[in-house]
Amino acid sequence: MIEIKGYPGYYLDDDGMTIIGKRNRALKTKFNCVILQQNGRRTCVPVNKLVWCAIRGVSPDEIPKGYSFRMVDGRMVAETFSDRMSYVKKKNTKRVRISDEQILYLERYIQILKDIQLDTDDAKSRLFMLINEDREQFIAYACKLSYNNRQNAEIVADSAIMATMDVICNNEVMVPNPRGCVKSFIRGYLRENRKFSADGQDPDRLS
């Protein structure tokens, strides 16, 4: 057993997690904390903190405020609040893996871009076919955003497809992914439609 510095009679058991009190009994925990008594003073201390301190021969009273303690790969570590929040954020970040279908799609798109640069005859028609393959998905996306208005969604989706075509073919800006560009145009058109509708103008107007 390892005696806890600053608290004579209190030990960390050989199991590495149990705190032994002055009566040579394991202390009861509440919310992963135990009560230590010294010189008539009762102190509530997290078990993880006592484990970390006992292993390093440090008194719990010497630890500055702002530190927390947790087990990582079988080892107790001390970290600041910002360290902990960084870990939580990283842990909760969704890992997005590109699918084989997405890779093939982008490979086709890149080849079409090269052919557009070379002014190949069928490059623009192939670009339209590539983008238009997802027309139903674009309509469904627009329909969802326009409160299931299928007719308006079709108009918006088709307009967004043609706008994306123009941006890519005219080389106005770099378009890494046509799908994302089409959806961006869809959102823009629907925002504009809502604005026109609120102003009392034609809600089906598209720019």
Side-chain angles (χ1 to χ4, degrees):
M1 293 192 297
I2 305 173
E3 188 171 35
I4 299 172
K5 184 179 178 181
Y7 289 85
Y10 291 93
Y11 298 86
L12 173 64
D13 197 7
D14 293 335
D15 65 4
M17 285 301 297
T18 304
I19 305 302
I20 305 300
K22 293 182 177 180
R23 297 181 180 179
N24 202 31
R25 295 179 181 176
L27 298 182
K28 293 182 179 180
T29 62
K30 187 174 183 179
F31 303 115
N32 201 35
C33 294
V34 294
I35 300 296
L36 306 184
Q37 299 188 51
Q38 199 69 30
N39 299 322
R41 182 170 61 95
R42 292 163 56 89
T43 307
C44 181
V45 187
V47 172
N48 288 351
K49 182 177 182 179
L50 291 175
V51 171
W52 189 91
C53 290
I55 292 173
R56 288 161 181 79
V58 178
S59 171
D61 299 334
E62 298 174 5
I63 305 299
K65 292 182 178 180
Y67 279 86
S68 62
F69 304 82
R70 64 186 179 93
M71 188 72 74
V72 178
D73 297 328
R75 182 173 61 93
M76 193 65 67
V77 298
E79 57 192 358
T80 62
F81 179 77
S82 60
D83 291 336
R84 179 62 176 168
M85 290 300 98
S86 176
Y87 165 79
V88 171
K89 182 178 180 180
K90 182 178 180 180
K91 182 178 180 181
N92 292 336
T93 300
K94 293 183 179 179
R95 296 182 179 180
V96 180
R97 295 183 178 180
I98 189 167
S99 66
D100 292 339
E101 185 276 332
Q102 290 171 313
I103 292 174
L104 292 174
Y105 178 88
L106 293 176
E107 286 177 345
R108 291 170 60 197
Y109 173 55
I110 290 171
Q111 184 58 56
I112 291 172
L113 283 183
K114 291 178 180 179
D115 291 341
I116 289 175
Q117 292 294 322
L118 295 174
D119 202 22
T120 304
D121 290 340
D122 66 341
K124 292 183 180 180
S125 61
R126 284 161 47 217
L127 175 63
F128 175 77
M129 291 175 62
L130 176 71
I131 299 175
N132 203 59
E133 286 177 2
D134 296 310
R135 182 175 182 269
E136 280 303 317
Q137 285 82 352
F138 295 142
I139 292 173
Y141 181 73
C143 194
K144 179 180 179 181
L145 296 180
S146 60
Y147 308 104
N148 296 318
N149 186 332
R150 170 79 188 193
Q151 183 177 3
N152 189 45
E154 289 179 355
I155 297 172
V156 170
D158 289 338
S159 298
I161 290 172
M162 296 312 300
T164 300
M165 282 280 300
D166 290 340
V167 170
I168 296 173
C169 293
N170 295 332
N171 199 26
E172 296 177 8
V173 294
M174 175 59 188
V175 179
N177 189 335
R179 288 168 171 167
C181 188
V182 172
K183 289 184 176 181
S184 179
F185 273 116
I186 288 173
R187 292 193 298 272
Y189 287 146
L190 291 176
R191 281 196 301 269
E192 188 175 351
N193 283 355
R194 283 192 287 269
K195 183 182 70 173
F196 284 135
S197 180
D199 293 342
Q201 302 181 48
D202 183 3
D204 294 325
R205 172 180 172 180
L206 293 172
S207 57

